[in-house]
């Protein structure tokens, strides 16, 4: 649930930033969403799932909840990096 809310906020942020720069806003909203979801998905499968399984085996449910959210933080970090470094370097529309 929180991952979906974060994805909507990211898409809206990219949309508004592209709109103010005169860039194609829908394409940038999709790019921002992909910049969030791709690392989120890869991290979830490669790191978070095995980590959560090991924590459940050790009966550490509290830490497992944090491990589940780690993919949201990784996706957010990558999307913010794209927003900070890639979007401003895009030439302004004429």
């Amino acid at each position: 649930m929180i991952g979906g809310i974060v994805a909507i906020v990211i898409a809206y942020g990219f949309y508004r930033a592209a709109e103010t720069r005169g860039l194609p806003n829908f394409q940038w909203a999709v790019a921002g969403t992909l910049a969030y979801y791709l690392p989120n998905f890869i991290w979830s499968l490669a790191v978070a799932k095995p980590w959560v399984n090991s924590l459940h085996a050790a009966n550490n449910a509290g830490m497992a909840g944090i491990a589940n959210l780690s993919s949201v933080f990784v996706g957010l970090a990558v999307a913010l990096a794209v927003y900070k470094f890639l979007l401003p370097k895009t030439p302004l529309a004429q």
Side-chain angles (χ1 to χ4, degrees):
M1 168 104 176
I2 193 156
I5 294 170
V6 170
I8 290 170
V9 170
I10 287 171
Y12 181 72
F14 272 81
Y15 183 90
R16 295 292 295 167
E19 188 175 54
T20 60
R21 294 180 55 86
L23 299 171
N25 37 12
F26 180 74
Q27 288 90 340
W28 274 102
V30 170
T33 305
L34 287 175
Y36 168 73
Y37 271 122
L38 286 177
N40 180 321
F41 181 70
I42 292 168
W43 180 270
S44 177
L45 291 179
V47 177
K49 295 291 182 191
W51 187 18
V52 169
N53 288 338
S54 69
L55 290 171
H56 279 300
N59 290 326
N60 193 350
M63 189 65 178
I66 294 171
N68 276 330
L69 286 176
S70 68
S71 61
V72 173
F73 295 128
V74 168
L76 181 61
V78 172
L80 288 175
V82 169
Y83 184 85
K84 176 120 172 96
F85 298 112
L86 188 62
L87 185 62
K89 291 183 181 178
T90 307
L92 295 174
Q94 298 298 331

